[in-house]
Amino acid sequence: MHLFKIVAAVAALASGTEAAVRQLPKPASCSGVANFRYQYKLESGWSAMKIAGGLKQVRTIVWDTEGNMLVSQNTRGISVHTFGDNGCINSTTMLISGNQINHGLSITPDGKTLYASSETTLWSWAYDPLTRKISNQKTIVRGMSTGIHSSRTVAVVPQQPNLVLLQVGSNSNFDMASQQPGTGRAIIKIFDASKAPSNGFNYNTEGEVSRTLPELKMGSAAIFTSITRPRSSITVSHVVTYRTHPCSLTNMVAVGDPLTVRNAWYGYPTCFSVWNPANFPNSNLKTGSHFVVSPNSSYNDATCNGRAVPPRLTFQAHSAPIANTFDSDAKNMYVTFHGSWNRQPATGFKVVQIPFTKLANGTYEPVAPADSMTGYKDIFSAPNPGSCTANGLTMSNCFRLTAAAWDPAGRGLFVGSDNSAEGEIYVLTPN
Ligand SMILES: *[C@@H]1O[C@H](CO)[C@@H](O)[C@H](O)[C@H]1NC(C)=O
Ligand SMILES: *[C@@H]1O[C@H](CO)[C@@H](O)[C@H](O)[C@H]1NC(C)=O
Ligand SMILES: *[C@@H]1O[C@H](CO)[C@@H](O)[C@H](O)[C@H]1NC(C)=O
């Protein structure tokens, strides 16, 4: 018993929960699961199957230490799914029912504490992965602003699981007031859950500022994720999307250690980054360079490039990246692009793969240089993203991709869709 616990703990330290989990085959199909609701295009070398349908809007997927899948479903709650030996879902129960749960979900590496959020509040529960039961609900953070960006990404810092990162977006495309951290918007804060007062921390006035974000397109959220990798320090990456100059909206990846990065400023709402330099003739701006929408004598592009942390990689404007995950050896990051609503032609509606590399000092970074427009490629997408409609945040004639979670049981990349017609989960497997 003791020996098992120690082995499990070491395995968990070495590679998240992966080593401890029973490996499963990727099923060709699962009985009772209807066909893909929408058509898709797949990069060669990959296969796709649908493993779950008939869900409410799927937003976040996490795994417990037994390899069970926990899914946050917007306005429904959190479900837990076990798998049979055939790799298909074998049981589904609601862990937490409640229409306040809307997006964020995270679990500690030991599998024993669960965090989930509503628009205003972050709660924790004690969780038992063997019985799949929760107990001891606590309010950890309260008072998050309400506004047009309602989802809050939640991420436990695996290296120090009492620390929880929690994000609130802007309340408009140009939320000038959010320059003041006290507004608690366009920001990621870090809270020590073990010290939460009984009624929870006040988001706006307590906790530490991990970073202030370039924020956000309608309906999307700043996304950051924590990874633990063998023999490495922990890296937190976040993927954010920001609005700028009409022809130059961009999104970015930034990389940093949540234990050390504090008060980093990524430019919002003053400095934005260039996607296509061809839109900036007569300048020496490159992809990823910062610029000011309306420069003046005291604030110009150079002011930004001296003050704001530059993006490590930028994405096509309006992609609306919403979740990211790494494969088991951290060779690639996968990002879901929820898709645009006010761009013609539309863009997004896909999963992209970003090759990563491990530097000599143990940090993981994208392979592509910061000024690359080709640092990622599509692996799964709507056949013609330009014709995808977005009549509302979750309505479309295409899937609206959300959750991304690499399977500890070896089946590949699990991807969710929050299209209100049907919440679906797909499995994408590299051959
Ligand atoms: C599903 O679970 C039941 C009950 O635990 C078990 O008898 C059955 O073999 C499982 N199915 C598969 C495909 O593993
Ligand atoms: C110059 O631009 C900055 C950044 O947008 C702004 O804060 C400042 O008020 C502007 N100054 C003047 C004189 O317009
Ligand atoms: C690791 O090395 C890279 C490249 O030299 C550097 O940019 C980065 O700041 C270093 N990170 C740490 C945590 O030392």
Side-chain angles (χ1 to χ4, degrees):
M1 183 66 182
H2 279 177
L3 182 62
F4 172 76
K5 274 189 183 158
I6 291 164
V7 170
V10 170
L13 274 179
S15 59
T17 57
E18 288 154 32
V21 165
R22 166 181 66 127
Q23 298 297 290
L24 292 171
K26 185 200 167 192
S29 65
C30 291
S31 69
V33 178
N35 287 336
F36 279 83
R37 192 168 187 107
Y38 304 98
Q39 291 187 313
Y40 61 87
K41 193 169 77 185
L42 202 57
E43 168 73 3
S44 68
W46 287 80
S47 61
M49 61 93 54
K50 176 170 162 181
I51 200 161
L55 302 171
K56 199 81 191 259
Q57 301 161 25
V58 173
R59 295 292 300 193
T60 307
I61 295 173
V62 301
W63 308 98
D64 73 15
T65 46
E66 295 295 309
N68 303 312
M69 178 173 73
L70 278 58
V71 179
S72 80
Q73 301 179 47
N74 181 26
T75 71
R76 179 176 285 173
I78 295 166
S79 52
V80 56
H81 309 260
T82 65
F83 295 97
D85 295 338
N86 61 0
C88 293
I89 290 172
N90 194 11
S91 78
T92 293
T93 48
M94 287 309 288
L95 197 56
I96 298 164
S97 293
N99 60 12
Q100 289 186 300
I101 296 286
N102 70 347
H103 178 82
L105 175 64
S106 191
I107 189 167
T108 49
D110 67 3
K112 291 182 180 162
T113 308
L114 206 61
Y115 294 91
S117 79
S118 69
E119 187 172 6
T120 60
T121 309
L122 174 72
W123 298 279
S124 75
W125 294 264
Y127 173 67
D128 181 343
L130 293 173
T131 59
R132 302 181 300 283
K133 297 270 191 275
I134 51 161
S135 56
N136 197 16
Q137 176 176 323
K138 289 182 187 161
T139 301
I140 303 298
V141 181
R142 66 192 153 80
M144 289 183 273
S145 303
T146 57
I148 61 169
H149 297 122
S150 61
S151 57
R152 282 79 185 84
T153 301
V154 179
V156 168
V157 178
Q159 198 175 34
Q160 212 174 300
N162 55 313
L163 298 180
V164 185
L165 294 156
L166 184 61
Q167 156 273 331
V168 174
S170 64
N171 70 0
S172 64
N173 284 328
F174 291 93
D175 182 356
M176 302 315 286
S178 72
Q179 288 177 88
Q180 302 305 323
T183 60
R185 297 197 302 269
I187 204 167
I188 297 174
K189 296 190 94 173
I190 187 162
F191 295 91
D192 184 344
S194 68
K195 301 197 172 121
S198 57
N199 63 345
F201 291 113
N202 177 314
Y203 187 83
N204 294 357
T205 58
E206 297 177 273
E208 291 183 86
V209 176
S210 180
R211 27 183 114 222
T212 55
L213 291 170
E215 273 296 71
L216 281 177
K217 280 186 38 173
M218 181 78 86
S220 61
I223 298 302
F224 47 92
T225 189
S226 310
I227 58 164
T228 317
R229 293 299 158 201
R231 300 169 301 281
S232 79
S233 63
I234 285 160
T235 302
V236 159
S237 312
H238 67 252
V239 178
V240 292
T241 148
Y242 50 113
R243 182 177 198 286
T244 66
H245 192 268
C247 52
S248 310
L249 295 115
T250 55
N251 312 284
M252 64 175 254
V253 176
V255 180
D257 183 339
L259 295 179
T260 56
V261 175
R262 292 292 178 273
N263 295 309
W265 182 56
Y266 289 81
Y268 185 83
T270 318
C271 307
F272 297 93
S273 63
V274 172
W275 169 241
N276 186 354
N279 294 326
F280 294 81
N282 311 316
S283 83
N284 55 10
L285 297 174
K286 299 194 266 186
T287 299
S289 301
H290 277 132
F291 70 96
V292 178
V293 176
S294 314
N296 61 35
S297 55
S298 67
Y299 218 111
N300 58 29
D301 299 345
T303 323
C304 286
N305 288 312
R307 288 186 197 173
V309 181
R312 180 56 189 81
L313 197 68
T314 50
F315 298 141
Q316 157 73 51
H318 288 273
S319 299
I322 205 157
N324 63 14
T325 187
F326 287 85
D327 50 20
S328 51
D329 51 7
K331 292 252 166 58
N332 299 283
M333 178 197 261
Y334 298 89
V335 183
T336 46
F337 286 0
H338 196 235
S340 65
W341 66 277
N342 62 348
R343 179 183 195 272
Q344 293 301 328
T347 190
F349 306 92
K350 60 173 81 162
V351 178
V352 301
Q353 179 187 49
I354 308 171
F356 262 65
T357 187
K358 188 179 176 183
L359 305 180
N361 63 13
T363 306
Y364 289 84
E365 286 207 7
V367 170
D371 61 1
S372 176
M373 289 177 78
T374 55
Y376 59 95
K377 72 172 182 191
D378 302 354
I379 60 163
F380 177 75
S381 66
N384 180 10
S387 68
C388 290
T389 56
N391 318 316
L393 299 178
T394 60
M395 282 182 279
S396 179
N397 58 347
C398 301
F399 42 49
R400 305 297 312 261
L401 302 179
T402 51
W406 196 264
D407 175 28
R411 287 162 295 183
L413 175 64
F414 279 53
V415 170
S417 166
D418 72 350
N419 190 309
S420 8
E422 183 182 1
E424 298 178 279
I425 298 175
Y426 320 116
V427 186
L428 311 181
T429 311
N431 295 335

